[in-house]
Amino acid sequence: MSKSNSLFQKELVARATKDAFRKLDPRLVAKNPVMFVVLIGSVVTTYFFARDLATGSKDALFTGQLTLWLWFTVLFANFAEAMAEGRGKAQADSLRKARTTMTARRLCVDTEEQVSAPELVKGDLVVCEPGDFIPADGEVVEGIASVDESAITGESAPVIRESGGDRSAVTGGTKVLSDRIVVRVTQDPGNSFLDRMISLVEGAQRQKTPNEIALSILLSGLTLVFLIATVTLLPFAQFAVNQAGQGQTPTIPVLAALLVCLIPTTIGGLLSAIGIAGMDRVMQRNVLAMSGRAVEAAGDVSTLLLDKTGTITLGNRQASAFHPAPGISEHDLAEAAQLSSLADETPEGRSIVVLAKEKFGIREHDLESMQAEFVPFTAQTRMSGVNYGSRQVRKGATDSIRRFIEEQGSVFPPEVAAISEQVSKEGSTPLVVAEGKRVLGVVQLKDIVKGGMKQRFAQMREMGIKTVMITGDNPLTAAAIAAEAGVDDFIAEATPEQKLAYIRGEQAGGRLVAMTGDGTNDAPALAQADVGVAMNTGTQAAKEAGNMVDLDSNPTKLIEVVEIGKQLLMTRGALTTFSIANDVAKYFAIIPAMFIVTYPQLAKINFLTNPKSAVLAAVIFNALIIIALIPLALRGVAYKPMSAAKVLRRNLLLYGVVGVLIPFPFIWLIDKILVLLRLA
Amino acid sequence: MIQIVLFFLILLAITKPMGLYLAWVFDGRASWMGWLERPLYRLLGIKSDEDQDWRSYALSILGFSAVSMLLTYGLLRLQGSLPLNPQGFGGDQMTPHLAFNTAASFITNTNWQSYSPEATLSYFSNMVSLAIHNWASAAVGLAVAVALVRGLARNSAGGIGNFWSDVVRGTLYVFLPICLVGAIAFVAGGVPQTFEAPKAITTMEGVSQTIALGPVASQEIIKQLGTNGGGFFNANSAHPFENPNPWTDLFTKVLIFLIPAGLTYMFGRMVGNVRQGWAVFAAMSVLFLAGVSIGTAAEQSGNPAFAHFGVEQANMEGKETRFGIAGSTLFASITTGASCGAVSSMHNSYTPIGGLVPLFNILTGEVIFGGVGAGLYGMLLFVILAVFIAGLMVGRTPEYLGKKIGKFEVQMAMIAVLAMAFSILGMTAIGSVLELPKEGTFGALNTLGETAYGPMTGNLNNPGPRGFTEMLYAFTSATGNNGSAFAGLTANTPIYNTMLGLAMLIGRFLVIIPVLAIAGHMARKKVAPASAGTFPTDSATFSLLLVGVVLIVGALTFFPALALGPIVEHLQMAGGR
């Protein structure tokens, strides 16, 4: 996917300009009540302009300009929406190219036949070899292959897909680079991930989110209030003119202009652009949101469930210290631990070898020359180690070694048990090493918390979001890591049921929950969570259960998604406040100027040149502010994690107070320019 | 100035105890009037523990109001055949349109009086037909506010309380005891309480004069406590029998705000966070003090036109010397803030800005403490709008008291705002241009022989912007269920009586129904616990935001109308016209 951050690329602007005109279709404008009123206003003033031209009225210059700017107002709003859609459309085009007619090799019992990809149905088996495009979404049922998924994720490094486990899902349109796999098709044509992705990035299925609907109602209500205020102004003016015996009642085009200035066109024109841009921002982070509702919900989340491994800690534990049993030297312990780990290919095993070398310079032995026999880890013994000569070296969890020692009729030293517990409390994993009947000591395997996570969680707390760590570790270890990482809560020895129960508990308390997951057993929890981000590497079940898919499969991104959701809501609120605050100035610009002939005393609160320049200046400001705010609508308001009270104070000042004041100088300036150019 | 400070300190002091008492009553814990309450329930067939959902609650109110309106209309029309009528007033004085207007006025707690009571109403009409609504309509307003607070406070609940029980408890536990004590205080202060007919006396100048009398004290107390405002005399609280001296004046002012202020504390108490209540109280106080200060300053500086005559003085026209300027503007601010409508001075004689303050108080929905109940629920509607507009700015779905504000709540709040704008602006617009033909229902001469045809603006007392303000004020006062009159407007004509009556009904029920709907929907919602990410609604920032929203919504809706009325007039006066 394109990672370009430039908002105004030439092609995008050109395309959006064209779309802005196409969107003038009244049926499309009618979806937005505020802009629809502007459209009607434009049509009405156009009629009066035509009449003025026909009668040769000297008002034609004024009505003409008014008409032009009212049409611009509608066009600018359309342009904003088109700009927001633009990037998605460009992406959809490139995705469509990936969906070019693919052929598939379908397996029928033991023969193979060539079919075109759209003929594949759920349950078909297809064979893919290097250079083949995988023809449909599916699951690898046989073999292992490296796959180029760059068409979907934009990531050029190939990924491994293999049968069984959580890395079996493949996506149609991706390319096999090596080896042969057999894929079972899991989606019917037209319903594939690629299809869904195209329609999502295009915004074709975009529905208004709950917040957007509520806001639209508020805006429509305000529009009606201003309609009443404008319509009743005519009889009021009639009375005033009759009483004062001078001046004129405002003309219909002027009233239309006043109405357009007063109704919340700024937010009305930018509302859908804000929503689309919010989803687009999520997409730029390579997260595919299935609906705008999901993005909005992300802003409301108050509990984050985060997997410990990969999100909070680096994936692997590392040996950090040797704790010898009484009477044993640290060197002996290190040597035995190293021996037992030589053939152990796990990252933990290798880290023991590295630590022994670093601390005591113990070099690697050649197992074969020692005629040593490797004892692999099994589910029954839950230990691994080596046998050579008469020596039996084992390492394993405290319980397993205790059993191993006691089976040989010996006693597990309480000091070692104490050390184990201490290590657990520190959030590390104790690995006990024994030789024969003798316990040598404990190797401390430490979980390394990722850099910067603690600050991140502190920010989350300030934003009122509770972070919960999920781990398979025992409660002691979990508590220590939780403390080190600074999360608010943890679920130790977590099972899928527990996760589900935790989510339900939080939701019953009125909180919204977000989580990430990839395995099939995560699916129920992903479905229950308000925001469920599935990893793209995860199983099909997980991807379907969640309402977002992270194409990079990076669980940390959940935090960013929450921030984008918040930013989306803030942008809407800020522009609504700004839009309403602006009205104060527009009233002060238009009303006194409008009645200055009737009541000359109004000159004292009039800051503009004449009635025509005043109305035009307000209308022009009203149109231009939409264009001026497009970048803000598309990028979102500046966002820093802080408490709601602080955000409120800051934004109220920035968009409320400034919103009241800022139009005055600009309207004044436009008025002066209009007069200078003899346009009014 | 000292009066204002003193008044505000008293207000501050009474808010908490009153609020605690109200919470005690409406939580259902108070039972010291049970000896009267229980038999009353049995008598009226009320199942007091039946929890009503919002629809059933609203239907009860509508039914109750419809029946009382019909009954009142009938009683007023038939006053000639009813007892306690020493002056012999009948249906000639109480015409159909006047009876409609008056019935609407009293059931909606507006107490607008198109008539001059001492020349129209029998004692029976005054004491029974109308006085009963001083209690009942106030109790209804109180019940609605309590129901809304319950809706906000409850967690995943279906009902919002029982209307009948709320009305009975409000009357028995709140109004009755305070009225008994208060009426005695008024009598002690010099307010008459008698059934005697008016006395004819000879004044010191030797002229014969009729002094109207009656059971004034008992009506005076509920008039103020229930923010009704319908005076026993046409001069209302400016009349020496209603409001004899500065002490009764101060007592009156405190009475008007007593329950509305207490309700803010009750609200905080019932939702489990008194700071929420104080935040609303603070917003009301800021608006109140700002209004009083502006109004007093405008009246003190008087009319610059007089300076040309070498007279530099404050504007005392239309004010009682026994109350002075500060006392009068304070009263004006209180009575309009609180939807009471009692007056101790002629608002029409105020300077334009001095008159703008009371008008703006009503235009903003009378949420500055407001009418009994109506002030709190009106302000809570603004809270919902404020929370929705600004709440998004903290990056969460707007929520109030842990409950999300969604489509439905916004819709209902907007209906209420729209109803107000539609009624006030729409009717003033009609009034500005409508000319009635001599024939037809509305053009016919009324029984008092006043002309009713011709332009509606013919009934205005002043030309130009002041005349416009008179009419705007009338429709505003009616829609806002305030009932105070700017004076000057001759309102007792078929067209004004009908339109004002409709305005009162719109302003009452098109607000109450949305409020109850919000209460019902909020009650059903789950309460989410507050966190650092929650939009804070118990802070000073929020109070100021609320003030801003009240002002901006009021200003945006009514600025054009105000510009052509008081604002232009102020500029004219400043310009020496």
Side-chain angles (χ1 to χ4, degrees), chain A residues 48-356:
Chain A
F48 279 93
F49 175 50
R51 210 185 59 171
D52 283 349
L53 276 185
T55 58
S57 158
K58 61 178 170 25
D59 280 342
L61 176 66
F62 171 70
T63 352
Q65 289 183 78
L66 209 57
T67 307
L68 195 67
W69 284 104
L70 290 190
W71 281 109
F72 274 151
T73 310
V74 186
L75 283 173
F76 289 168
N78 287 349
F79 178 73
E81 193 181 82
M83 278 301 292
E85 287 168 351
R87 255 200 306 212
K89 284 211 169 123
Q91 266 166 7
D93 287 348
S94 72
L95 285 172
R96 275 208 189 86
K97 281 181 200 137
R99 208 178 47 174
T100 44
T101 34
M102 290 178 287
T103 53
R105 295 157 59 190
R106 181 159 64 187
L107 276 181
C108 299
V109 195
D110 45 14
T111 58
E112 222 176 73
E113 58 176 2
Q114 288 276 345
V115 295
S116 79
E119 286 174 41
L120 294 171
V121 292
K122 237 188 228 174
D124 283 352
L125 291 176
V126 292
V127 181
C128 296
E129 286 188 335
D132 287 349
F133 280 102
I134 297 173
D137 293 357
E139 208 180 337
V140 181
V141 290
E142 191 185 315
I144 174 168
S146 61
V147 177
D148 173 10
E149 295 197 333
S150 60
I152 306 284
T153 63
E155 183 60 58
S156 55
V159 293
I160 302 294
R161 292 286 177 259
E162 59 187 330
S163 62
D166 285 346
R167 288 192 299 174
S168 61
V170 286
T171 312
T174 57
K175 194 174 177 183
V176 176
L177 294 179
S178 71
D179 305 284
R180 173 181 187 274
I181 47 173
V182 176
V183 174
R184 186 194 299 121
V185 177
T186 52
Q187 290 292 345
D188 285 329
N191 202 12
S192 70
F193 188 66
L194 201 59
D195 291 322
R196 266 196 295 165
M197 197 163 156
I198 290 171
S199 74
L200 279 173
V201 294
E202 252 188 344
Q205 290 175 345
R206 210 181 89 81
Q207 283 175 331
K208 281 189 178 172
T209 58
N211 260 317
E212 226 177 326
I213 294 172
L215 190 52
S216 303
I217 289 172
L218 177 82
L219 298 180
S220 307
L222 286 175
T223 305
L224 280 175
V225 167
F226 291 126
L227 191 65
I228 295 174
T230 315
V231 168
T232 54
L233 190 55
L234 200 56
F236 294 171
Q238 186 71 55
F239 174 77
V241 170
N242 288 348
Q243 293 283 315
Q246 55 188 350
Q248 277 170 345
T249 54
T251 60
I252 300 292
V254 166
L255 284 178
L258 175 65
L259 178 62
V260 168
C261 284
L262 294 181
I263 61 176
T265 46
T266 314
I267 179 66
L270 295 172
L271 187 59
S272 67
I274 295 169
I276 297 168
M279 279 191 78
D280 189 54
R281 276 202 299 283
V282 174
M283 207 87 75
Q284 297 302 309
R285 304 276 199 302
N286 256 358
V287 175
L288 203 58
M290 297 302 164
S291 68
R293 192 186 273 255
V295 180
E296 205 172 86
D300 283 341
V301 158
S302 39
T303 307
L304 278 187
L305 299 192
L306 299 165
D307 274 323
K308 183 195 79 175
T309 310
T311 310
I312 296 171
T313 62
L314 295 171
N316 311 311
R317 285 174 289 204
Q318 288 175 350
S320 62
F322 297 109
H323 302 285
I328 309 284
S329 78
E330 195 179 344
H331 185 277
D332 288 350
L333 169 63
E335 190 171 25
Q338 187 243 22
L339 268 177
S340 68
S341 306
L342 280 176
D344 185 353
E345 286 298 316
T346 62
E348 286 87 355
R350 254 177 277 153
S351 78
I352 294 176
V353 176
V354 170
L355 185 69

Side-chain angles (χ1 to χ4, degrees), chain B residues 59 80 162 337 401 421 448 482 523 545 566:
Chain B
L59 280 177
N162 185 293
L401 305 170
L448 300 176
N482 181 283
L545 169 69

Side-chain angles (χ1 to χ4, degrees), chain A residues 342-632:
Chain A
L342 280 176
D344 185 353
E345 286 298 316
T346 62
E348 286 87 355
R350 254 177 277 153
S351 78
I352 294 176
V353 176
V354 170
L355 185 69
K357 193 172 178 182
E358 270 174 10
K359 274 200 142 172
F360 301 102
I362 301 169
R363 278 188 287 138
E364 288 191 28
H365 299 263
D366 183 358
L367 282 178
E368 271 178 40
S369 70
M370 290 164 59
Q371 292 187 322
E373 177 202 349
F374 178 60
V375 181
F377 181 89
T378 66
Q380 284 79 37
T381 61
R382 296 172 60 214
M383 294 183 299
S384 65
V386 286
N387 293 337
Y388 71 100
S390 57
R391 293 179 74 177
Q392 279 192 322
V393 184
R394 294 287 183 277
K395 68 176 200 294
T398 316
D399 291 350
S400 328
I401 299 294
R402 183 193 296 274
R403 208 178 326 115
F404 175 67
I405 296 292
E406 286 169 357
E407 272 168 11
Q408 298 176 71
S410 192
V411 179
F412 190 83
E415 295 87 347
V416 175
I419 295 171
S420 294
E421 196 161 316
Q422 184 55 38
V423 168
S424 284
K425 271 189 192 152
E426 286 169 24
S428 301
T429 309
L431 208 56
V432 183
V433 182
E435 186 180 338
K437 295 180 181 179
R438 221 156 39 110
V439 178
L440 298 178
V442 177
V443 181
Q444 179 170 7
L445 293 177
K446 197 170 163 75
D447 247 323
I448 311 291
V449 173
K450 281 186 180 175
M453 290 316 280
K454 193 159 189 166
Q455 291 88 307
R456 207 105 193 237
F457 293 141
Q459 285 176 349
M460 291 275 142
R461 194 165 310 114
E462 213 178 324
M463 287 156 60
I465 296 175
K466 176 173 152 192
T467 45
V468 182
M469 181 181 84
I470 298 176
T471 171
D473 294 340
N474 66 56
L476 272 182
T477 312
I481 299 173
E484 193 185 339
V487 293
D488 299 305
D489 196 3
F490 61 87
I491 312 176
E493 290 165 354
T495 60
E497 295 76 39
Q498 259 181 310
K499 279 193 216 177
L500 193 60
Y502 194 91
I503 294 175
R504 290 206 172 123
E506 289 290 301
Q507 287 173 336
R511 284 173 289 262
L512 265 62
V513 185
M515 71 168 286
T516 58
D518 53 3
T520 301
N521 57 13
D522 282 334
L526 277 173
Q528 179 72 38
D530 301 282
V531 177
V533 182
M535 301 293 109
N536 194 39
T537 51
T539 59
Q540 197 67 38
K543 276 157 102 175
E544 271 170 20
N547 47 16
M548 291 192 198
V549 176
D550 180 9
L551 300 172
D552 296 340
S553 306
N554 169 10
T556 320
K557 232 189 266 168
L558 185 56
I559 299 174
E560 286 174 44
V561 170
V562 168
E563 290 179 350
I564 294 173
K566 285 204 172 293
Q567 197 190 22
L568 168 70
L569 295 177
M570 275 181 198
T571 309
R572 258 187 220 146
L575 289 184
T576 307
T577 308
F578 187 77
S579 191
I580 295 172
N582 269 198
D583 276 358
V584 176
K586 293 180 207 159
Y587 259 137
F588 269 99
I590 297 183
I591 298 284
M594 206 182 238
F595 292 104
I596 204 158
V597 182
T598 312
Y599 293 129
Q601 298 81 11
L602 284 170
K604 281 194 188 149
I605 53 169
N606 176 30
F607 65 107
L608 301 175
T609 313
N610 61 52
K612 283 179 182 165
S613 71
V615 172
L616 275 177
V619 169
I620 293 173
F621 173 80
N622 192 51
L624 291 181
I625 196 78
I626 296 181
I627 285 285
L629 290 174
I630 289 179
L632 185 72

Side-chain angles (χ1 to χ4, degrees), chain A residues 210-211 213-218 220-222 224-226 228-229 231-240 242-244 246 258 262 296 299-302 461-465 507-512 565-567 569-577 580-581 583-584 587-588 591-592 595 599-605 642-645 647-649 651-652 655-656 660, chain B residues 155 385 388-399 402 404-408 410-412 414 417-419 421-433 457 460 462-465 467-469 471-472 526-529 531-536 539 541-542 544-545 552-553 555-561 563-565 567-568 570-577:
Chain A
N211 260 317
I213 294 172
L215 190 52
S216 303
I217 289 172
L218 177 82
S220 307
L222 286 175
L224 280 175
V225 167
F226 291 126
I228 295 174
V231 168
T232 54
L233 190 55
L234 200 56
F236 294 171
Q238 186 71 55
F239 174 77
N242 288 348
Q243 293 283 315
Q246 55 188 350
L258 175 65
L262 294 181
E296 205 172 86
D300 283 341
V301 158
S302 39
R461 194 165 310 114
E462 213 178 324
M463 287 156 60
I465 296 175
Q507 287 173 336
R511 284 173 289 262
L512 265 62
K566 285 204 172 293
Q567 197 190 22
L569 295 177
M570 275 181 198
T571 309
R572 258 187 220 146
L575 289 184
T576 307
T577 308
I580 295 172
D583 276 358
V584 176
Y587 259 137
F588 269 99
I591 298 284
F595 292 104
Y599 293 129
Q601 298 81 11
L602 284 170
K604 281 194 188 149
I605 53 169
M642 50 179 149
S643 74
V647 177
L648 178 66
R649 265 199 299 277
N651 285 348
L652 265 185
Y655 299 99
V660 170
Chain B
N155 193 351
L385 287 182
F388 191 80
I389 292 170
L392 281 169
M393 279 201 297
V394 306
R396 292 236 308 214
T397 296
E399 53 192 350
K404 289 204 160 51
I405 309 279
K407 175 183 142 191
F408 187 81
V410 175
Q411 218 164 21
M412 290 302 126
M414 284 318 290
V417 170
L418 270 170
F422 179 78
S423 174
I424 295 173
L425 293 177
M427 296 212 192
T428 309
I430 293 172
S432 303
V433 290
T457 51
L460 304 178
N462 283 292
F468 182 75
T469 309
M471 188 160 58
L472 179 66
K526 257 187 285 194
V527 175
S531 73
T534 313
F535 181 84
S539 63
T541 316
F542 181 73
L544 287 177
L545 169 69
I552 286 191
V553 170
L556 291 184
T557 315
F558 299 109
F559 182 79
L564 293 177
I567 294 178
V568 84
H570 168 74
L571 295 170
Q572 282 179 347
M573 183 184 78
R577 259 188 68 178

Side-chain angles (χ1 to χ4, degrees), chain B residues 149-375:
Chain B
V149 172
R150 281 200 199 103
L152 293 171
R154 288 182 174 179
N155 193 351
S156 319
I160 50 173
N162 185 293
F163 169 70
W164 306 106
S165 149
D166 285 343
V167 165
V168 168
R169 288 180 73 84
T171 310
L172 288 187
Y173 288 87
V174 183
F175 296 127
L176 201 60
I178 302 179
C179 281
L180 282 176
V181 178
I184 294 168
F186 266 124
V187 171
V191 178
Q193 177 79 8
T194 169
F195 284 120
E196 282 176 60
K199 284 195 186 336
I201 55 155
T202 311
T203 63
M204 293 203 300
E205 290 100 5
V207 187
S208 158
Q209 191 181 350
T210 311
I211 301 293
L213 280 172
V216 184
S218 63
Q219 183 170 337
E220 194 62 23
I221 176 76
I222 186 65
K223 158 188 154 191
Q224 312 297 9
L225 182 69
T227 63
N228 292 294
F232 196 91
F233 302 106
N234 196 29
N236 211 308
S237 288
H239 195 290
F241 283 172
E242 285 204 19
N243 191 6
N245 54 54
W247 289 112
T248 53
D249 192 49
L250 180 65
F251 183 54
T252 299
K253 289 169 183 163
V254 173
L255 276 177
I256 297 175
F257 271 3
L258 177 62
I259 296 177
L263 276 172
T264 62
Y265 189 86
M266 180 203 82
F267 160 66
R269 178 97 186 167
M270 283 172 81
V271 300
N273 177 2
V274 289
R275 285 176 56 100
Q276 299 283 1
W278 286 119
V280 172
F281 179 91
M284 290 173 168
S285 301
V286 169
L287 287 165
F288 172 67
L289 293 174
V292 176
S293 313
I294 294 171
T296 308
E299 295 304 300
Q300 295 283 16
S301 59
N303 187 338
F306 291 134
H308 297 295
F309 308 120
V311 184
E312 286 212 36
Q313 62 160 31
N315 179 23
M316 271 308 291
E317 185 196 312
K319 297 186 183 66
E320 293 291 317
T321 45
R322 62 184 191 280
F323 307 134
I325 286 189
S328 301
T329 53
L330 179 61
F331 199 110
S333 279
I334 293 169
T335 194
T336 51
S339 135
C340 177
V343 285
S344 71
S345 53
M346 288 276 273
H347 292 182
N348 200 5
S349 296
Y350 277 42
T351 59
I353 296 299
L356 174 65
V357 170
L359 178 59
F360 198 74
N361 282 348
I362 313 179
L363 283 173
T364 50
E366 296 175 341
V367 291
I368 304 167
F369 297 100
V372 166

